Amino acid sequence: MSIGAGIVLFVIGAVLAFALNVQVDWVNLDLVGYILMGAGVVIVLIGIVLLARRRRSDVVTRTAVDPTGNERVTRQSTATPDDSATL
């Protein structure tokens, strides 16, 4: 969702900066457009970083029931190198 919001901000900023040719006394629309484009780029970058940090998978392997009736479960977790530094 943050990537989409960043793209929307960038597009609105580009329209304000490049497509509109309106002069308003109380605000500079070109500056507002550039600010919105910058904010859009920052939001897209933050979204990509957060999306990359969420990449983690858990693998669960179930084996057959042993004679005592207990099921043996083997669980393996794989994590990114950044996650191992915080553990």
Side-chain angles (χ1 to χ4, degrees), residues 56-63 71-79:
R56 183 176 173 200
S57 61
D58 289 334
V59 178
V60 176
T61 306
R62 295 186 185 267
T63 59
E71 183 177 323
R72 189 175 135 213
V73 177
T74 305
R75 179 175 225 131
Q76 300 172 346
S77 295
T78 58

Side-chain angles (χ1 to χ4, degrees), residues 21-85:
N21 202 8
V22 177
Q23 296 295 326
V24 181
D25 292 335
W26 51 276
V27 68
N28 186 355
L29 291 179
D30 290 338
L31 180 62
V32 172
Y34 289 129
I35 290 171
L36 287 176
M37 286 193 309
V41 168
V42 168
I43 289 175
V44 166
L45 292 176
I46 290 173
I48 290 172
V49 167
L50 291 178
L51 186 67
R53 287 187 56 103
R54 275 190 271 185
R55 302 278 175 158
R56 183 176 173 200
S57 61
D58 289 334
V59 178
V60 176
T61 306
R62 295 186 185 267
T63 59
V65 178
D66 62 358
T68 61
N70 294 331
E71 183 177 323
R72 189 175 135 213
V73 177
T74 305
R75 179 175 225 131
Q76 300 172 346
S77 295
T78 58
T80 59
D82 294 337
D83 292 337
S84 63

Side-chain angles (χ1 to χ4, degrees), residues 11-24:
V11 168
I12 292 172
V15 168
L16 286 176
F18 303 120
L20 287 181
N21 202 8
V22 177
Q23 296 295 326
V24 181

